Amino acid sequence: MEVSCHEIWREISNYLDNDVDPRLRERMERHFASCRHCAALIDSTHNMLVLIGDNRAFAIPADFGKRLYGKLAAHLASSR
Ligand SMILES: [Zn+2]
């Protein structure tokens, strides 16, 4: 079964925490391979988390999250 962009973004924090069922993880990865928009968003989210893990969280622009979720909202609206 294909996961939708909506499901991806509902599970995204679990995915990044390595906290999703392996089968769901596989389906999500298949989605990233076929959905350029989600792939780009997960890339930037992942980069952000790498920075945080590196103790450089404060170097992240304050509006990063807002811009990310703005893009996400636009994507979900257009895929409805
Ligand atoms: Zn998608």
Side-chain angles (χ1 to χ4, degrees), residues 3-6 8-9 31-32 34-39 41 72 75-76 79:
V3 285
S4 66
C5 295
H6 291 78
I8 293 285
W9 289 96
H31 182 92
F32 297 134
S34 65
C35 179
R36 260 192 12 218
H37 202 102
C38 284
L41 284 172
L72 167 63
H75 177 52
L76 293 182
S79 70

Side-chain angles (χ1 to χ4, degrees), residues 20-56:
V20 291
D21 179 285
R23 270 177 312 177
L24 176 61
R25 188 175 186 86
E26 199 195 300
R27 281 159 57 203
M28 289 175 81
E29 274 160 8
R30 223 177 300 144
H31 182 92
F32 297 134
S34 65
C35 179
R36 260 192 12 218
H37 202 102
C38 284
L41 284 172
I42 188 137
D43 248 23
S44 36
T45 310
H46 190 73
N47 289 342
M48 178 177 75
L49 291 179
V50 168
L51 286 173
I52 291 169
D54 219 15
N55 278 327
R56 274 187 268 148

